[in-house]
Amino acid sequence: MQYDHEELQAFRENHKTQFTASQFDDIAKKIESSKDLASEDPEMAALVEEEITALTTQLDYYYQEMKQIAAADKVEDEKPYGVVLEVRAGAGGDEAALFAEELAQMYLEYSTLQGWLYSVESESRSTSGGYKEAVFEILNPKVYDDLRYETGVHRVQRIPMTEKAGRIHTSTASVAILPLRRKPKVEINMTDILMEFSRSGGAGGQNVNKVETAVRLVHKPTGIEVRSQSERSQLKNREKAMNILQARVEAQHEEEETRKHASERKNQIGTGDRSEKIRTYNFPQNRITDHRIKESWHNIEGIMGGHLDPIVEALKKASAGDEDGDIEVVA
């Protein structure tokens, strides 16, 4: 059996395969010693040949074991350990901003009920107090599986508090769920990043106002901009900002790839297209409708309070139930 020398070197450097690699190297040395003995003493050749065969079997076993460990390690690295949740107000002015904040709170309440950790990375408020835009980090290996289908445009139909004539208004907010991975799928060149530091705003004690801990990153090739100010140290905020930037760049890359192959596939649930209208929240009728699977739920107050399980499970079931994972989207 032929062994890839570069692969073997990688196994020696990987802490998860180092011990097995050392066993592999010991066996390889014994095989070489046995071969030398056979060449020096022809009378021992037959006996040594039997030993070499047994050692070679061991060598192959250790090599395959290292390959399996490395393959499992790669899968683990590619599996999201959390997500970046982005919520932005859409059409509808102040009412859209208020709805954006309600959506954000819905996901954060759901996270609390699931026992997931989350933090506010950045937020921009409207004059109404709602969100123009807000970015959160939610950490748990289960988050992406549960929330991956939330990306898209969410529509609300209700009578705003400021509406005196009792007319129902329609507003929108967009949600993006971006996976955080230990091993990036798209490499970012550090020379392509503009980095700025500033003082953090909001509550946080004296340190917040005196030290430039807030970090702003701009990815020059795409124009993607990220801010992080949730941590008290500049280093931690920079690390978080880089993780969010990486997630956004990867998401944009995946969206572009999806569009390239759009004509070759059916519409897929949770395509990641942020312009896709996925759900309507009709308050007067106490109804939430997901347009992709044409299913509705009542108890809008409970769902907005974080009890998302019925929707999450329905979307998972719909995705798993289709043979190819492709579900027709009804806009």
Side-chain angles (χ1 to χ4, degrees), residues 22-54:
S22 67
Q23 292 177 303
F24 178 94
D25 290 339
D26 288 342
I27 297 295
K29 288 176 183 177
K30 288 181 182 179
I31 291 175
E32 289 304 314
S33 296
S34 296
K35 287 180 178 179
D36 291 341
L37 179 61
S39 62
E40 293 170 4
D41 188 350
E43 294 181 2
M44 292 288 292
L47 184 61
V48 170
E49 189 63 36
E50 187 176 330
E51 181 182 2
I52 291 174
T53 300

mmCIF file of all heavy atoms in Angstrom, residues 22-54:
data_model
loop_
_atom_site.group_PDB
_atom_site.id
_atom_site.type_symbol
_atom_site.label_atom_id
_atom_site.label_comp_id
_atom_site.label_asym_id
_atom_site.label_seq_id
_atom_site.Cartn_x
_atom_site.Cartn_y
_atom_site.Cartn_z
ATOM 1 N N SER A 22 2.846 8.014 15.845
ATOM 2 C CA SER A 22 4.097 7.520 16.451
ATOM 3 C C SER A 22 4.131 5.993 16.394
ATOM 4 O O SER A 22 5.193 5.388 16.156
ATOM 5 C CB SER A 22 4.232 8.012 17.889
ATOM 6 O OG SER A 22 3.239 7.437 18.729
ATOM 7 N N GLN A 23 2.977 5.332 16.594
ATOM 8 C CA GLN A 23 2.907 3.878 16.478
ATOM 9 C C GLN A 23 3.169 3.443 15.043
ATOM 10 O O GLN A 23 3.868 2.448 14.795
ATOM 11 C CB GLN A 23 1.528 3.387 16.938
ATOM 12 C CG GLN A 23 1.274 3.567 18.430
ATOM 13 C CD GLN A 23 -0.124 3.128 18.819
ATOM 14 O OE1 GLN A 23 -1.111 3.625 18.289
ATOM 15 N NE2 GLN A 23 -0.227 2.175 19.731
ATOM 16 N N PHE A 24 2.619 4.196 14.109
ATOM 17 C CA PHE A 24 2.845 3.930 12.677
ATOM 18 C C PHE A 24 4.339 4.002 12.362
ATOM 19 O O PHE A 24 4.893 3.119 11.691
ATOM 20 C CB PHE A 24 2.073 4.953 11.842
ATOM 21 C CG PHE A 24 2.263 4.812 10.352
ATOM 22 C CD1 PHE A 24 1.371 4.064 9.590
ATOM 23 C CD2 PHE A 24 3.331 5.439 9.700
ATOM 24 C CE1 PHE A 24 1.539 3.938 8.208
ATOM 25 C CE2 PHE A 24 3.503 5.323 8.335
ATOM 26 C CZ PHE A 24 2.608 4.558 7.577
ATOM 27 N N ASP A 25 4.993 5.052 12.839
ATOM 28 C CA ASP A 25 6.424 5.246 12.569
ATOM 29 C C ASP A 25 7.265 4.129 13.190
ATOM 30 O O ASP A 25 8.255 3.684 12.583
ATOM 31 C CB ASP A 25 6.882 6.604 13.099
ATOM 32 C CG ASP A 25 6.307 7.764 12.286
ATOM 33 O OD1 ASP A 25 5.914 7.547 11.125
ATOM 34 O OD2 ASP A 25 6.262 8.886 12.818
ATOM 35 N N ASP A 26 6.872 3.674 14.391
ATOM 36 C CA ASP A 26 7.613 2.575 15.039
ATOM 37 C C ASP A 26 7.524 1.297 14.215
ATOM 38 O O ASP A 26 8.523 0.592 14.020
ATOM 39 C CB ASP A 26 7.059 2.322 16.453
ATOM 40 C CG ASP A 26 7.420 3.424 17.429
ATOM 41 O OD1 ASP A 26 8.361 4.199 17.132
ATOM 42 O OD2 ASP A 26 6.767 3.521 18.495
ATOM 43 N N ILE A 27 6.316 1.010 13.726
ATOM 44 C CA ILE A 27 6.125 -0.193 12.898
ATOM 45 C C ILE A 27 6.912 -0.071 11.591
ATOM 46 O O ILE A 27 7.531 -1.033 11.119
ATOM 47 C CB ILE A 27 4.629 -0.420 12.594
ATOM 48 C CG1 ILE A 27 3.840 -0.668 13.874
ATOM 49 C CG2 ILE A 27 4.448 -1.586 11.623
ATOM 50 C CD1 ILE A 27 4.214 -1.934 14.613
ATOM 51 N N ALA A 28 6.900 1.140 11.006
ATOM 52 C CA ALA A 28 7.633 1.357 9.747
ATOM 53 C C ALA A 28 9.126 1.106 9.932
ATOM 54 O O ALA A 28 9.786 0.521 9.049
ATOM 55 C CB ALA A 28 7.387 2.780 9.260
ATOM 56 N N LYS A 29 9.654 1.529 11.084
ATOM 57 C CA LYS A 29 11.083 1.296 11.377
ATOM 58 C C LYS A 29 11.373 -0.193 11.530
ATOM 59 O O LYS A 29 12.414 -0.691 11.069
ATOM 60 C CB LYS A 29 11.473 2.034 12.658
ATOM 61 C CG LYS A 29 11.539 3.549 12.501
ATOM 62 C CD LYS A 29 11.833 4.229 13.828
ATOM 63 C CE LYS A 29 11.819 5.752 13.679
ATOM 64 N NZ LYS A 29 12.036 6.425 14.989
ATOM 65 N N LYS A 30 10.461 -0.925 12.186
ATOM 66 C CA LYS A 30 10.648 -2.368 12.355
ATOM 67 C C LYS A 30 10.645 -3.071 11.005
ATOM 68 O O LYS A 30 11.412 -4.012 10.785
ATOM 69 C CB LYS A 30 9.530 -2.932 13.238
ATOM 70 C CG LYS A 30 9.643 -2.549 14.706
ATOM 71 C CD LYS A 30 8.509 -3.159 15.514
ATOM 72 C CE LYS A 30 8.596 -2.743 16.978
ATOM 73 N NZ LYS A 30 7.481 -3.319 17.778
ATOM 74 N N ILE A 31 9.784 -2.611 10.094
ATOM 75 C CA ILE A 31 9.736 -3.217 8.759
ATOM 76 C C ILE A 31 11.045 -2.986 8.017
ATOM 77 O O ILE A 31 11.589 -3.905 7.378
ATOM 78 C CB ILE A 31 8.545 -2.643 7.950
ATOM 79 C CG1 ILE A 31 7.218 -3.120 8.545
ATOM 80 C CG2 ILE A 31 8.639 -3.043 6.479
ATOM 81 C CD1 ILE A 31 5.988 -2.504 7.897
ATOM 82 N N GLU A 32 11.583 -1.770 8.116
ATOM 83 C CA GLU A 32 12.855 -1.469 7.460
ATOM 84 C C GLU A 32 13.976 -2.305 8.045
ATOM 85 O O GLU A 32 14.849 -2.810 7.307
ATOM 86 C CB GLU A 32 13.184 0.026 7.605
ATOM 87 C CG GLU A 32 12.293 0.937 6.771
ATOM 88 C CD GLU A 32 12.314 0.585 5.295
ATOM 89 O OE1 GLU A 32 13.431 0.370 4.752
ATOM 90 O OE2 GLU A 32 11.227 0.499 4.680
ATOM 91 N N SER A 33 13.980 -2.487 9.362
ATOM 92 C CA SER A 33 15.016 -3.304 10.022
ATOM 93 C C SER A 33 14.903 -4.755 9.570
ATOM 94 O O SER A 33 15.925 -5.420 9.321
ATOM 95 C CB SER A 33 14.861 -3.224 11.543
ATOM 96 O OG SER A 33 15.067 -1.921 12.006
ATOM 97 N N SER A 34 13.676 -5.236 9.455
ATOM 98 C CA SER A 34 13.461 -6.622 9.019
ATOM 99 C C SER A 34 13.921 -6.816 7.575
ATOM 100 O O SER A 34 14.504 -7.851 7.224
ATOM 101 C CB SER A 34 11.980 -6.991 9.147
ATOM 102 O OG SER A 34 11.578 -6.948 10.500
ATOM 103 N N LYS A 35 13.673 -5.826 6.737
ATOM 104 C CA LYS A 35 14.115 -5.903 5.345
ATOM 105 C C LYS A 35 15.637 -5.914 5.256
ATOM 106 O O LYS A 35 16.224 -6.641 4.438
ATOM 107 C CB LYS A 35 13.552 -4.732 4.547
ATOM 108 C CG LYS A 35 12.053 -4.844 4.259
ATOM 109 C CD LYS A 35 11.566 -3.643 3.459
ATOM 110 C CE LYS A 35 10.081 -3.793 3.122
ATOM 111 N NZ LYS A 35 9.571 -2.621 2.368
ATOM 112 N N ASP A 36 16.293 -5.099 6.099
ATOM 113 C CA ASP A 36 17.765 -5.073 6.126
ATOM 114 C C ASP A 36 18.321 -6.426 6.556
ATOM 115 O O ASP A 36 19.305 -6.929 5.979
ATOM 116 C CB ASP A 36 18.256 -3.985 7.092
ATOM 117 C CG ASP A 36 17.971 -2.581 6.566
ATOM 118 O OD1 ASP A 36 17.742 -2.434 5.350
ATOM 119 O OD2 ASP A 36 17.982 -1.625 7.384
ATOM 120 N N LEU A 37 17.664 -7.012 7.561
ATOM 121 C CA LEU A 37 18.112 -8.324 8.056
ATOM 122 C C LEU A 37 17.968 -9.374 6.976
ATOM 123 O O LEU A 37 18.857 -10.219 6.795
ATOM 124 C CB LEU A 37 17.279 -8.704 9.287
ATOM 125 C CG LEU A 37 17.593 -10.065 9.922
ATOM 126 C CD1 LEU A 37 19.049 -10.110 10.411
ATOM 127 C CD2 LEU A 37 16.636 -10.353 11.083
ATOM 128 N N ALA A 38 16.879 -9.328 6.241
ATOM 129 C CA ALA A 38 16.641 -10.306 5.176
ATOM 130 C C ALA A 38 17.671 -10.187 4.072
ATOM 131 O O ALA A 38 18.114 -11.195 3.502
ATOM 132 C CB ALA A 38 15.243 -10.109 4.601
ATOM 133 N N SER A 39 18.088 -8.970 3.760
ATOM 134 C CA SER A 39 19.077 -8.772 2.690
ATOM 135 C C SER A 39 20.475 -9.198 3.134
ATOM 136 O O SER A 39 21.284 -9.640 2.311
ATOM 137 C CB SER A 39 19.087 -7.310 2.256
ATOM 138 O OG SER A 39 19.473 -6.476 3.340
ATOM 139 N N GLU A 40 20.734 -9.103 4.436
ATOM 140 C CA GLU A 40 22.058 -9.468 4.963
ATOM 141 C C GLU A 40 22.191 -10.973 5.220
ATOM 142 O O GLU A 40 23.284 -11.527 5.162
ATOM 143 C CB GLU A 40 22.320 -8.710 6.268
ATOM 144 C CG GLU A 40 22.469 -7.203 6.072
ATOM 145 C CD GLU A 40 22.490 -6.454 7.392
ATOM 146 O OE1 GLU A 40 22.456 -7.130 8.450
ATOM 147 O OE2 GLU A 40 22.546 -5.215 7.371
ATOM 148 N N ASP A 41 21.086 -11.628 5.548
ATOM 149 C CA ASP A 41 21.112 -13.051 5.893
ATOM 150 C C ASP A 41 20.020 -13.786 5.120
ATOM 151 O O ASP A 41 18.877 -13.868 5.550
ATOM 152 C CB ASP A 41 20.874 -13.205 7.401
ATOM 153 C CG ASP A 41 21.081 -14.641 7.875
ATOM 154 O OD1 ASP A 41 21.224 -15.540 7.009
ATOM 155 O OD2 ASP A 41 21.071 -14.858 9.095
ATOM 156 N N PRO A 42 20.383 -14.320 3.949
ATOM 157 C CA PRO A 42 19.402 -14.999 3.100
ATOM 158 C C PRO A 42 18.683 -16.141 3.808
ATOM 159 O O PRO A 42 17.534 -16.452 3.504
ATOM 160 C CB PRO A 42 20.247 -15.529 1.935
ATOM 161 C CG PRO A 42 21.428 -14.597 1.900
ATOM 162 C CD PRO A 42 21.712 -14.266 3.335
ATOM 163 N N GLU A 43 19.359 -16.808 4.763
ATOM 164 C CA GLU A 43 18.741 -17.920 5.469
ATOM 165 C C GLU A 43 17.564 -17.455 6.341
ATOM 166 O O GLU A 43 16.670 -18.230 6.672
ATOM 167 C CB GLU A 43 19.784 -18.638 6.348
ATOM 168 C CG GLU A 43 20.874 -19.329 5.529
ATOM 169 C CD GLU A 43 21.860 -20.046 6.430
ATOM 170 O OE1 GLU A 43 21.648 -20.020 7.680
ATOM 171 O OE2 GLU A 43 22.824 -20.632 5.909
ATOM 172 N N MET A 44 17.589 -16.155 6.727
ATOM 173 C CA MET A 44 16.514 -15.603 7.565
ATOM 174 C C MET A 44 15.372 -15.003 6.719
ATOM 175 O O MET A 44 14.344 -14.599 7.257
ATOM 176 C CB MET A 44 17.088 -14.505 8.464
ATOM 177 C CG MET A 44 18.046 -15.011 9.534
ATOM 178 S SD MET A 44 17.170 -15.903 10.818
ATOM 179 C CE MET A 44 16.237 -14.580 11.580
ATOM 180 N N ALA A 45 15.579 -14.941 5.404
ATOM 181 C CA ALA A 45 14.642 -14.241 4.532
ATOM 182 C C ALA A 45 13.195 -14.747 4.659
ATOM 183 O O ALA A 45 12.255 -13.969 4.779
ATOM 184 C CB ALA A 45 15.111 -14.353 3.077
ATOM 185 N N ALA A 46 13.012 -16.094 4.658
ATOM 186 C CA ALA A 46 11.656 -16.654 4.721
ATOM 187 C C ALA A 46 10.971 -16.300 6.038
ATOM 188 O O ALA A 46 9.791 -15.919 6.059
ATOM 189 C CB ALA A 46 11.723 -18.171 4.545
ATOM 190 N N LEU A 47 11.740 -16.414 7.150
ATOM 191 C CA LEU A 47 11.174 -16.113 8.472
ATOM 192 C C LEU A 47 10.837 -14.626 8.595
ATOM 193 O O LEU A 47 9.779 -14.240 9.113
ATOM 194 C CB LEU A 47 12.172 -16.520 9.561
ATOM 195 C CG LEU A 47 11.706 -16.360 11.014
ATOM 196 C CD1 LEU A 47 10.486 -17.221 11.270
ATOM 197 C CD2 LEU A 47 12.840 -16.711 11.978
ATOM 198 N N VAL A 48 11.748 -13.793 8.093
ATOM 199 C CA VAL A 48 11.556 -12.339 8.158
ATOM 200 C C VAL A 48 10.386 -11.899 7.278
ATOM 201 O O VAL A 48 9.645 -10.983 7.631
ATOM 202 C CB VAL A 48 12.850 -11.606 7.742
ATOM 203 C CG1 VAL A 48 12.595 -10.111 7.560
ATOM 204 C CG2 VAL A 48 13.953 -11.831 8.776
ATOM 205 N N GLU A 49 10.217 -12.566 6.147
ATOM 206 C CA GLU A 49 9.134 -12.204 5.231
ATOM 207 C C GLU A 49 7.772 -12.349 5.911
ATOM 208 O O GLU A 49 6.874 -11.520 5.730
ATOM 209 C CB GLU A 49 9.193 -13.111 3.990
ATOM 210 C CG GLU A 49 8.250 -12.690 2.871
ATOM 211 C CD GLU A 49 8.574 -11.321 2.307
ATOM 212 O OE1 GLU A 49 9.772 -10.972 2.225
ATOM 213 O OE2 GLU A 49 7.605 -10.591 1.982
ATOM 214 N N GLU A 50 7.643 -13.409 6.722
ATOM 215 C CA GLU A 50 6.396 -13.627 7.462
ATOM 216 C C GLU A 50 6.159 -12.498 8.472
ATOM 217 O O GLU A 50 5.042 -12.004 8.637
ATOM 218 C CB GLU A 50 6.474 -14.967 8.186
ATOM 219 C CG GLU A 50 5.175 -15.373 8.849
ATOM 220 C CD GLU A 50 5.269 -16.758 9.474
ATOM 221 O OE1 GLU A 50 6.035 -17.612 8.959
ATOM 222 O OE2 GLU A 50 4.572 -16.978 10.485
ATOM 223 N N GLU A 51 7.252 -12.074 9.111
ATOM 224 C CA GLU A 51 7.149 -10.978 10.092
ATOM 225 C C GLU A 51 6.798 -9.665 9.399
ATOM 226 O O GLU A 51 5.972 -8.882 9.896
ATOM 227 C CB GLU A 51 8.468 -10.832 10.853
ATOM 228 C CG GLU A 51 8.428 -9.727 11.906
ATOM 229 C CD GLU A 51 9.761 -9.564 12.632
ATOM 230 O OE1 GLU A 51 10.727 -10.272 12.293
ATOM 231 O OE2 GLU A 51 9.817 -8.704 13.522
ATOM 232 N N ILE A 52 7.403 -9.401 8.242
ATOM 233 C CA ILE A 52 7.123 -8.172 7.488
ATOM 234 C C ILE A 52 5.656 -8.115 7.079
ATOM 235 O O ILE A 52 5.021 -7.063 7.134
ATOM 236 C CB ILE A 52 8.044 -8.082 6.244
ATOM 237 C CG1 ILE A 52 9.496 -7.833 6.667
ATOM 238 C CG2 ILE A 52 7.561 -6.978 5.296
ATOM 239 C CD1 ILE A 52 10.486 -7.862 5.523
ATOM 240 N N THR A 53 5.100 -9.259 6.672
ATOM 241 C CA THR A 53 3.681 -9.312 6.279
ATOM 242 C C THR A 53 2.782 -8.919 7.452
ATOM 243 O O THR A 53 1.826 -8.144 7.292
ATOM 244 C CB THR A 53 3.307 -10.723 5.789
ATOM 245 O OG1 THR A 53 4.117 -11.051 4.662
ATOM 246 C CG2 THR A 53 1.830 -10.784 5.402
ATOM 247 N N ALA A 54 3.103 -9.445 8.641
ATOM 248 C CA ALA A 54 2.305 -9.137 9.832
ATOM 249 C C ALA A 54 2.434 -7.670 10.209
ATOM 250 O O ALA A 54 1.440 -7.003 10.559
ATOM 251 C CB ALA A 54 2.751 -10.022 10.994
#
